[in-house]
Amino acid sequence: MKAHDGMYIDGAWRPAAGQDVIEVVNPADEQVIAQVPAGTALDVDTAVRAARAALAAWAATAPAERAARLTALRDVLAARKDEIAATVTAELGAPLEFSQAVHAGLPVAVAGSYAELAATHPFEEKVGNSVVHQEPIGVVGAITPWNYPLHQIVAKVAPALAAGCTVVLKPAEDTPLTAQLFAEAVHEAGMPPGVFNLVTGLGPVAGRALAEHPGVDLVSFTGSTAVGRQIGATAGAAVKKVALELGGKSANVILPSADLAKAVNVGVANVMSNSGQTCSAWTRMLVPAARYEEAVALAAKAAAKYGDRIGPLVNAKQRARVLSYIDKGVSEGARLVAGGTESPRAQGYFVAPTVFADVTPDMTIAQEEIFGPVLSILRYEDEEEALRIANGTVYGLAGAVWAGDPAEAAAFARRMETGQVDINGGRFNPLAPFGGYKQSGVGRELGAHGLSEYLQTKSLQF
């Protein structure tokens, strides 16, 4: 697609307030492919004012009409699926097949789910002598990451619009072209002016201005825990609601009764998906001591198959960060059984699929989010130790449990301090709530629980 040189505000593309630009780089070949404007606080203010002006009319729109507009948006996204996939591949580096199936396909399903929820959600209920009424929280500031650029946009914007909120989006600076495509889709779907607004820019400038703006009623952010803390502190000072989806260090617990080969192979595939740039990736594999070396050999063999199948990391900084963690793992005594710091290609921000064995729970690579194709394998003696290790980080976003009996796996999963657990490879459900415990965040996305984040409640007593 051809990049827009302005911001999408109040239903039209408008010139940016400043002259600075952001270069968009293809991480597979390190070439600049586009430029977009670097938004300022003035751009953010203009967008928030447009969203505020449009709020009353959109909030008063019948849920069925909001559902119709979201259905139209879903249809536009579906019709432009190939263009979306190609754009994500160009600016994120994901293999085209993965972009088509996940980066372009999943947002269509999520948008459709919120079209249905907008039409069916009970915005009022009778409780005794009260009518409990749900209404939109107001103007939403959505700040989204680069790793799933369209999915994260739709997961915030669609429920906000379904609830009757208006939105200002600040997408990640690495993947702004996908956000511009989304703005085109919103326009084509016939959303009223001001209901959705887009400001591209840097996090410390445009993102901060959006989080701090007094005209924003809710800040929905997905990204690092460090930035999430800053946004939470800023919002707290203004008594402003936040929804934060932050980091993860998810455990893949393989119980003694599990099908070891299947659990290991699926676990490795999970970590390598999207080049490891997934906050919910199962980056810690917990294996019974009696079968530890067997699991290590299986994981190393599985990882080797991904050498030419995964894309690059998003930028040079991210690649350097991941390589520093690999160096840290070696220096702290972990055993490197696959991959390492040697680049698998002469050009691009690639990192080899990497597997560490002999990882102990206190090692840096077992505690901190790496956000790359790096798996740590830990051993345990019994289930109580496995549970302590699984729960032994500051994160609690996702996880997995494998056992011969699904009920056994589910019983273990219920004791894990994490927001979502896959049992024996259970598939992703876009209607189920997604979000974390502890420092993995506040609030939930997707489905009815995601819609609730954008509503506030009023009781009318009779």
Side-chain angles (χ1 to χ4, degrees):
M1 66 166 289
K2 183 180 184 298
H4 292 275
D5 59 2
M7 310 298 183
Y8 184 76
I9 297 176
D10 203 20
W13 293 97
R14 303 177 184 277
Q19 299 299 315
D20 291 342
V21 297
I22 297 170
E23 291 187 336
V24 184
V25 176
N26 184 329
D29 60 15
E30 305 176 46
Q31 300 301 305
V32 175
I33 58 174
Q35 290 183 339
V36 300
T40 66
L42 181 57
D43 292 304
V44 170
D45 182 65
T46 303
V48 173
R49 289 178 184 275
R52 178 63 59 186
L55 178 61
W58 182 246
T61 300
E65 175 59 22
R66 298 202 295 265
R69 296 276 63 79
L70 285 167
T71 298
L73 175 60
R74 179 204 63 190
D75 292 346
V76 174
L77 293 175
R80 300 183 69 173
K81 185 176 178 180
D82 289 344
E83 183 183 5
I84 290 167
T87 301
V88 173
T89 291
E91 62 181 354
L92 178 64
L96 184 59
E97 183 178 355
F98 187 78
S99 291
Q100 290 170 333
V102 178
H103 288 296
L106 181 57
V108 173
V110 173
S113 74
Y114 280 113
E116 183 175 344
L117 277 168
T120 61
H121 181 78
F123 289 94
E124 284 194 350
E125 63 176 329
K126 189 79 162 58
V127 180
N129 66 307
S130 301
V131 172
V132 179
H133 172 73
Q134 290 185 309
E135 58 192 36
I137 198 166
V139 174
V140 173
I143 304 174
T144 56
W146 45 261
N147 60 327
Y148 289 89
L150 185 59
H151 167 63
Q152 292 290 353
I153 288 171
V154 173
K156 296 181 189 304
V157 175
L161 299 185
C165 299
T166 55
V167 181
V168 177
L169 169 68
K170 203 299 286 182
E173 49 262 38
D174 289 291
T175 53
L177 303 181
T178 302
Q180 289 190 343
L181 265 178
F182 179 76
E184 291 179 2
V186 166
H187 191 85
E188 189 175 340
M191 291 290 176
V195 168
F196 170 81
N197 306 274
L198 169 68
V199 176
T200 54
L202 302 175
V205 180
R208 181 170 182 171
L210 185 58
E212 293 179 348
H213 199 291
V216 172
D217 300 293
L218 169 107
V219 180
S220 181
F221 168 79
T222 297
S224 72
T225 297
V227 176
R229 288 194 196 99
Q230 296 173 8
I231 290 174
T234 297
V239 197
K240 182 184 301 185
K241 185 179 178 182
V242 294
L244 304 173
E245 197 264 280
L246 308 176
K249 195 68 183 175
S250 301
N252 179 18
V253 182
I254 304 174
L255 296 177
S257 64
D259 180 335
L260 184 68
K262 181 178 181 181
V264 170
N265 283 317
V266 174
V268 170
N270 176 277
V271 173
M272 302 307 159
S273 177
N274 210 41
S275 304
Q277 299 170 128
T278 303
C279 52
S280 57
W282 310 334
T283 52
R284 295 181 298 145
M285 182 180 289
L286 279 56
V287 181
R291 304 192 70 182
Y292 186 77
E293 290 302 333
E294 183 184 357
V296 169
L298 286 168
K301 182 179 179 181
K305 298 177 182 178
Y306 289 89
D308 58 356
R309 291 167 55 187
I310 64 173
L313 300 188
V314 70
N315 56 38
K317 180 180 179 181
Q318 183 65 16
R319 181 178 183 273
R321 181 178 183 273
V322 172
L323 293 179
S324 73
Y325 273 108
I326 296 174
D327 284 336
K328 190 74 169 177
V330 172
S331 69
E332 291 185 357
R335 175 167 45 117
L336 190 64
V337 297
T341 56
E342 185 175 345
S343 179
R345 302 195 191 185
Q347 191 177 36
Y349 308 128
F350 291 88
V351 171
T354 298
V355 178
F356 279 106
D358 300 338
V359 178
T360 58
D362 59 324
M363 287 182 178
T364 302
I365 59 172
Q367 289 292 320
E368 297 183 11
E369 184 176 44
I370 298 173
F371 226 60
V374 181
L375 171 66
S376 296
I377 309 180
L378 299 89
R379 59 168 55 84
Y380 67 85
E381 296 294 336
D382 55 39
E383 288 191 19
E384 292 306 312
E385 183 182 18
L387 186 67
R388 287 195 300 273
I389 295 172
N391 291 339
T393 75
V394 299
Y395 298 111
L397 186 57
V401 185
W402 301 79
D405 181 358
E408 177 191 2
F412 188 97
R414 287 187 173 91
R415 301 170 68 196
M416 293 173 69
E417 298 168 353
T418 191
Q420 190 171 81
V421 185
D422 294 349
I423 305 299
N424 287 347
R427 61 190 176 88
F428 182 75
N429 179 4
L431 299 179
F434 180 82
Y437 288 26
K438 300 187 284 188
Q439 292 187 29
S440 284
V442 177
R444 293 294 181 268
E445 292 187 327
L446 303 180
H449 292 269
L451 177 64
S452 296
E453 295 292 335
Y454 299 92
L455 295 167
Q456 54 188 352
T457 304
K458 178 184 294 179
S459 296
L460 308 175
Q461 277 63 251
F462 290 88

